[in-house]
Amino acid sequence: MPLIPINMREGTLARSDDVIVGIDLGTTNSLVAYIKDGKPYCIRDAAGKHALVPSIVHFTPDGQMLVGDAAREKLVSDPANTIYSVKRLMGKSYRDVADIQDFFGYQILDDNTESLVKIRVRDRFFTPIELSAEILRALKQRAERELGRAITKAVITVPAYFNDNQRQATRDAGRLAGLDVLRIVNEPTAAALAYGIGLDPTHSETIAVYDLGGGTFDISILKIHQGIFEVLSTHGDTFLGGDDFDRLLAQLLLQKAGFTADVVLSDKAIGQAIRLQAERVKKALSSSEVVDTEVLGKTVRVQREEFEQQIEPLIQRTLECCASALRDARLQPADIEKVVLVGGSTRVPIIKRRVAEFFGRTPFDSLDPDEVVALGAAVQADILAGNQRDLLLLDVTPLSLGIETLGGLMDVIIPRNSKIPIRASRQYTTSVDGQKNLKIAVYQGERDLVQHNRKLGEFILSGIPPMPAGLPKIEVVFLINADGILTVRARELRSGIEQQIEIRPAYGLTEEEMARMLMDSITHAAEDMQVRALQEARNEAQTLLLAGEKFLQQNDLSLSEIEKSTIRSLLTSLQEAAKGEDKDCIQTAIQALNDYTTPLAHRAMDAVIQEAMRGKKIS
Ligand code: AMP
């Protein structure tokens, strides 16, 4: 009798033949792959030719949507209605992308700088999530056509540096396309998996993934230990790639043909045509030493070496990023045991050579560099489907996460570079008697004052039973799951009331901003420490002032007039000191008040005990 597996989580009959696809949702191109006869395979177009689906969506005048190759054809003729590079906008606000707006040929809406960007196409508005969903839908259909069945489950890859918002946005796009996104996987991790790196749990190694695509460059250093992938560091340039090679080569071609490059390239249509031609020449130069081509009616000959000279500064920039990534991971090139090449531009022979020289070893390049991430996503999908031993994929938090405490201080709960998944908690209390609500404001960043960090969201823990200040025990838990999604929960432990949010912040961070925030935290470290020390002294003063007033009220009868007036004057001095900027002055006033009141407090306590004893009858 056949066994019928039951999915315990959902209580449904599990279909063991469910296919989970792996999707590389790229900036320029996307791909979908699955495991066929035990091996990962990228699904091609209906003609069985191309695996790449250009990540482009075009809107026709009658409101129809075209995705992929058909949309790419409209890039030059109708740029305003042809949306490309939407991945650059995922999880971003207008403010995040304002300075790169010129890059986009279409209209990005600037309505509210804090909210997520929208794209305007004629009189309709779209979010990057909706547009990404269209690309995913096209990939889903492609897989359904190939496999002849409905596809509802997928693994989608994202860059290792994607933050919570960007990962969440990607997940949402999947859901919108009718896909249950079982896991979001880092692109470099997928690339390693495609080569089978990390599948042997007894083997530990440190690898580098060098990813040079059409428009972006990323270098990631991964440590793989017992089947766990840990991102040690990432670096890159979000505007460096094969497109830049095309631009430089287009200039060279025009120059050789005797034209003034700037003049010719300033005409949009001609400029685009020449760049497309340059791209063809570039590709040809990857396999030939010399290429002849015709530029605006003139025959031009280009040597591979000339092209290499043109792009040399760009190659240098990628290697500087590699050096920075190694520095961040506190490693030397020799510590890297394997190097994996990803992205179409790594087909350029000099790139392969220079990367090999830099790391001192031959990189893995046997798989198609355009397909390697999607192939790895399919391997991960297969692991999730239970066809291979499950592997944990680990990531790190790029910036510290914490909450705002009294006086606007940042209290870090999960430090930067923590491995995820992670759970961390801390207890807090109230600062005012009878306080019923507590605001939990969540921030990301390295500075001591929250005002310098980035707010991710906030919520109110309400319904705290009235208690004296300091008595409620409020536990705040930060949980980051394997996909990097943050959930924050607050719970008053005495009463059990609880509130939680999944952080879906209003906008994300660009890589540049992340770097700036880190730099700021270093350059302002001394100043921040002083500000924090002053604020902490003020907080302590505030607590003592309240306690002092309470003490005076409760012991009105047992304290002498002199004692009362001394306490009052010490409280006034403390209050004055707390208004000032001198933390030592506040500390001195705190000390003076403590020194004077401690013996009085002991005396009062003794009196209470004596009173209690007197009331007791011993029979
Ligand atoms: P990707 O974003 O990974 O799809 O990479 C696309 C980039 O790779 C584009 O800039 C292509 O021009 C470039 N590319 C593709 N094939 C080659 C090749 N044979 N030689 C040089 N560059 C290539």
Side-chain angles (χ1 to χ4, degrees), residues 28-29 52 211-215 241-243 246 279 282-283 286 342-345 347-348 369-370:
T28 353
N29 293 303
L52 295 175
D211 179 350
L212 188 62
D243 298 348
D246 301 344
E279 186 184 11
K282 171 185 76 174
K283 288 182 180 174
S286 288
V342 179
S345 298
R347 288 197 186 93
V348 176
D370 283 318

Side-chain angles (χ1 to χ4, degrees), residues 259-291:
F259 296 98
T260 314
D262 289 349
V263 175
V264 178
L265 293 174
S266 65
D267 181 302
K268 260 194 168 171
I270 300 180
Q272 180 67 8
I274 302 271
R275 270 193 293 274
L276 286 176
Q277 189 185 355
E279 186 184 11
R280 284 192 295 273
V281 172
K282 171 185 76 174
K283 288 182 180 174
L285 282 172
S286 288
S287 48
S288 317
E289 289 287 342
V290 184
V291 172

Side-chain angles (χ1 to χ4, degrees), residues 65-84:
M65 260 187 248
L66 301 176
V67 179
D69 287 315
R72 191 161 79 154
E73 284 166 19
K74 305 288 178 186
L75 214 48
V76 181
S77 60
D78 191 6
N81 299 307
T82 310
I83 318 300
Y84 58 91

Side-chain angles (χ1 to χ4, degrees), residues 322-335:
C322 295
S324 304
L326 283 175
R327 215 176 306 125
D328 280 2
R330 295 199 177 82
L331 294 174
Q332 302 292 326
D335 297 323

